[in-house]
């Protein structure tokens, strides 16, 4: 504001004290998108995971789109955060547990750490090996984890989130119908029938909501879940899940434990896988 001259005499902010500052944490969080809280049922997630290998064969970018989708499902990050991961995005904490390093560009928070399971770390490690083999002459610090095949001879250009969404949409619509228990009215009474799930509700951002709901169902405390989602405000996180004890199918998700150090405080994180 000052650099634009708005505090000069006659301008809108004339008289603003010199010690006034507006910081990023002073700005309220905006809704992530219009589909907050729309998690995917377990029947849908089960079929998607079973058909993930088909995505690599169908995708025009080979394994990168399969890896990106697996990471979206496992980590609950935004599509652009996954697409822009550098090659060196995997570290271990003091206890030897894996963490994913990513940038929360929406909130302008860089170098965020997310605890991940060994299986998810394995996905990253195998992709790192593929990228190094494909671009042996590019310094690792300049490589991206998910390089595009378009005009990218040195492996520095990542796949785009728009292209990822398009390939994901084509893959989802190629899958067989996914039947889920649905309540319908029959002769004036509500009954449960297995009906095809609306595939238009299966999009990359839905995995973020599903990640949040999965951990809430597993009993992760709201403040810990807020940290996992990298939200500043608890009410932002609470808009992403329904406070129910069990998921739609009544099954408890598998839970793996991980630990990380956050702002000097050692805390336990339960990762629902």
């Amino acid at each position: 504001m000052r650099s634009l001259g708005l505090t000069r005499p006659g301008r809108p902010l004339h008289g603003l004290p010199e010690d006034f500052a507006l910081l990023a944490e002073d700005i309220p969080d905006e809704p992530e998108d219009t589909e907050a809280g729309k998690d995917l049922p377990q029947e849908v997630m089960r079929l998607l995971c079973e058909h993930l290998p088909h995505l690599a064969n169908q995708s025009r970018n080979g394994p990168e789109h399969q890896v990106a989708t697996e990471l979206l499902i496992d980590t609950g990050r935004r599509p652009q955060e996954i697409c822009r991961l550098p090659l060196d995005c995997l570290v271990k904490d003091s206890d030897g547990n894996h963490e994913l390093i990513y940038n929360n560009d929406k909130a302008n928070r860089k170098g965020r750490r997310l605890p991940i399971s060994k299986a998810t770390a394995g996905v990253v490690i195998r992709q790192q090996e593929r990228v190094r083999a494909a671009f042996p002459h590019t310094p690792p610090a300049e490589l991206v984890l998910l390089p595009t095949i378009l005009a990218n001879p040195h492996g520095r250009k990542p796949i785009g989130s728009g292209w990822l969404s398009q390939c994901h949409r084509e893959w989802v619509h190629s899958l067989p119908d996914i039947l889920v228990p649905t309540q319908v009215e029959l002769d004036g009474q509500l009954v449960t029938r297995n009906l095809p799930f609306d595939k238009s509700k299966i999009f990359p951002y839905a995995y973020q909501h599903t990640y949040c709901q999965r951990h809430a169902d597993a009993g992760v405390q709201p403040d810990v879940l807020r940290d996992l989602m990298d939200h500043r405000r608890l009410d932002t996180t609470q808009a992403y899940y329904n406070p129910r004890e069990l998921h739609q199918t009544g099954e408890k998700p598998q839970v793996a434990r991980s630990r990380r150090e956050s702002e000097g405080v050692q805390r336990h994180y339960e990762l629902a896988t």
Side-chain angles (χ1 to χ4, degrees):
M1 296 174 184
R2 293 189 177 94
S3 64
L4 292 173
L6 299 180
T7 58
R8 296 173 184 169
R11 301 302 299 274
L13 296 181
H14 178 235
L16 188 72
E18 289 297 325
D19 58 354
F20 174 83
L22 183 64
L23 305 178
E25 54 265 29
D26 297 323
I27 303 173
D29 283 343
E30 297 179 0
E32 298 288 337
D33 55 67
T34 59
E35 294 294 329
K38 303 297 184 182
D39 66 302
L40 298 175
Q42 287 191 5
E43 296 87 354
V44 174
M45 294 303 302
R46 187 176 296 114
L47 187 137
L48 292 176
C49 291
E50 289 174 356
H51 286 78
L52 273 172
H54 301 163
L55 180 56
N57 299 328
Q58 180 178 324
S59 170
R60 286 160 286 180
N61 212 80
E64 276 69 32
H65 283 127
Q66 177 187 346
V67 172
T69 303
E70 287 191 66
L71 293 179
L72 287 171
I73 293 173
D74 289 355
T75 68
R77 300 308 95 179
R78 303 179 185 91
Q80 59 268 29
E81 293 169 354
I82 293 299
C83 289
R84 296 173 183 174
L85 286 173
L87 183 70
D88 188 16
C89 61
L90 192 65
V91 297
K92 289 186 177 181
D93 64 12
S94 58
D95 293 327
N97 297 310
H98 289 97
E99 293 182 330
L100 184 74
I101 305 297
Y102 71 99
N103 291 329
N104 183 344
D105 292 324
K106 183 178 186 297
N108 195 30
R109 294 196 288 270
K110 309 296 184 181
R112 311 305 293 171
R113 288 177 170 247
L114 177 74
I116 59 176
S117 67
K118 290 182 179 180
T120 305
V123 173
V124 175
I125 292 171
R126 289 188 292 272
Q127 177 63 14
Q128 288 174 328
E129 294 171 349
R130 281 193 291 265
V131 173
R132 289 193 185 99
F135 305 98
H137 303 298
T138 303
E142 300 177 8
L143 291 170
V144 295
L145 183 68
L146 301 169
T148 179
I149 61 174
L150 300 176
N152 190 29
H154 304 294
R156 300 186 180 100
K157 182 180 177 183
I159 62 174
S161 57
W163 192 10
L164 172 62
S165 296
Q166 179 180 340
C167 291
H168 182 275
R169 181 169 56 253
E170 294 172 356
W171 169 64
V172 168
H173 285 285
S174 72
L175 299 176
D177 286 341
I178 311 172
L179 301 180
V180 297
T182 307
Q183 282 194 337
V184 297
E185 186 174 347
L186 185 63
D187 296 332
Q189 293 183 339
L190 288 178
V191 296
T192 300
R193 293 286 187 270
N194 287 329
L195 299 178
F197 188 77
D198 183 0
K199 291 182 179 179
S200 66
K201 297 180 179 180
I202 307 175
F203 51 92
Y205 264 107
Y207 299 131
Q208 188 179 24
H209 315 138
T210 305
Y211 174 91
C212 189
Q213 185 68 59
R214 186 165 68 240
H215 285 78
D217 289 345
V220 176
Q221 294 301 309
D223 60 329
V224 177
L225 186 51
R226 176 195 59 201
D227 292 345
L228 287 174
M229 295 294 290
D230 200 31
H231 292 151
R232 287 193 297 263
R233 296 170 57 91
L234 184 59
D235 54 359
T236 302
T237 306
Q238 290 172 331
Y240 275 73
Y241 67 92
N242 295 319
R244 57 180 184 253
E245 183 179 356
L246 296 176
H247 207 278
Q248 290 95 328
T249 61
E251 299 177 5
K252 273 287 188 179
Q254 179 184 352
V255 177
R257 288 188 181 274
S258 181
R259 178 183 290 180
R260 70 169 175 169
E261 187 171 345
S262 176
E263 297 180 357
V265 179
Q266 200 77 1
R267 306 183 67 176
H268 286 280
Y269 290 82
E270 288 183 335
L271 300 179
T273 59

